[in-house]
Amino acid sequence: MKKKICLITLFFSHYLLANEGGGFEDKFADFISWLVLVLLPIGGAYLFWKAHIYPEVVAERNNHPQLGAIKAMCLLSLFVGGLLWPIALIWANYKYPKKDFEPSNKIKVDGEGTESNIITENHHKC
């Protein structure tokens, strides 16, 4: 029984030793594995960076009034693992309502250019 097991082991070990020579497939697989090991981290870091500056790009495109604060939040988000990124993205997409300036005191001017009638309208609601 031991002889049979020894012969079978020798028989199969011959095939294992024959593959050690390294054909084209092995060299190609080594090249691809090194390519993946080098390019994947570089590509991942690039995509991580591009995703984290996206709120800044949106804020610049929309002429956001608080662009500097959004840029700072994007930079901080890189160092805290992206926890601030959703807040920066929401903030960058927020559209502030436009305020039309209407003074509370309206001055009525006569046709001659004198301020004879001053109308004050205070819109204070209690």
Side-chain angles (χ1 to χ4, degrees), residues 15-45:
Y15 288 112
L16 294 175
L17 293 174
N19 288 333
E20 269 187 38
F24 173 74
E25 295 87 6
D26 287 338
K27 291 179 183 176
F28 183 71
D30 285 342
F31 173 74
I32 294 297
S33 65
W34 278 108
L35 192 69
V36 167
L37 284 173
V38 171
L39 291 183
L40 197 62
I42 293 171

Side-chain angles (χ1 to χ4, degrees), residues 4-60:
K4 289 182 182 180
I5 293 174
C6 186
L7 286 174
I8 292 172
T9 306
L10 285 174
F11 178 71
F12 285 115
S13 66
H14 169 69
Y15 288 112
L16 294 175
L17 293 174
N19 288 333
E20 269 187 38
F24 173 74
E25 295 87 6
D26 287 338
K27 291 179 183 176
F28 183 71
D30 285 342
F31 173 74
I32 294 297
S33 65
W34 278 108
L35 192 69
V36 167
L37 284 173
V38 171
L39 291 183
L40 197 62
I42 293 171
Y46 176 75
L47 289 176
F48 183 76
W49 175 68
K50 288 302 267 184
H52 274 78
I53 64 166
Y54 181 69
E56 180 182 335
V57 171
V58 170
E60 285 176 354

Side-chain angles (χ1 to χ4, degrees), residues 62-107:
N62 294 338
N63 293 327
H64 201 279
Q66 296 168 343
L67 177 63
I70 293 171
K71 284 183 178 183
M73 189 173 279
C74 289
L75 183 63
L76 284 173
S77 180
L78 287 171
F79 296 108
V80 295
L83 295 174
L84 300 173
W85 186 83
I87 298 168
L89 185 61
I90 291 169
W91 194 7
N93 283 308
Y94 182 75
K95 305 251 190 276
Y96 287 97
K98 292 185 178 180
K99 292 183 179 180
D100 294 330
F101 180 72
E102 292 184 24
S104 60
N105 296 331
K106 294 183 180 180
I107 300 175

Side-chain angles (χ1 to χ4, degrees), residues 88-126:
L89 185 61
I90 291 169
W91 194 7
N93 283 308
Y94 182 75
K95 305 251 190 276
Y96 287 97
K98 292 185 178 180
K99 292 183 179 180
D100 294 330
F101 180 72
E102 292 184 24
S104 60
N105 296 331
K106 294 183 180 180
I107 300 175
K108 184 177 180 183
V109 179
D110 286 348
E112 302 167 358
T114 60
E115 300 176 4
S116 60
N117 298 326
I118 298 177
I119 303 170
T120 58
E121 297 175 6
N122 294 327
H123 299 286
H124 298 292
K125 294 182 181 178
C126 297

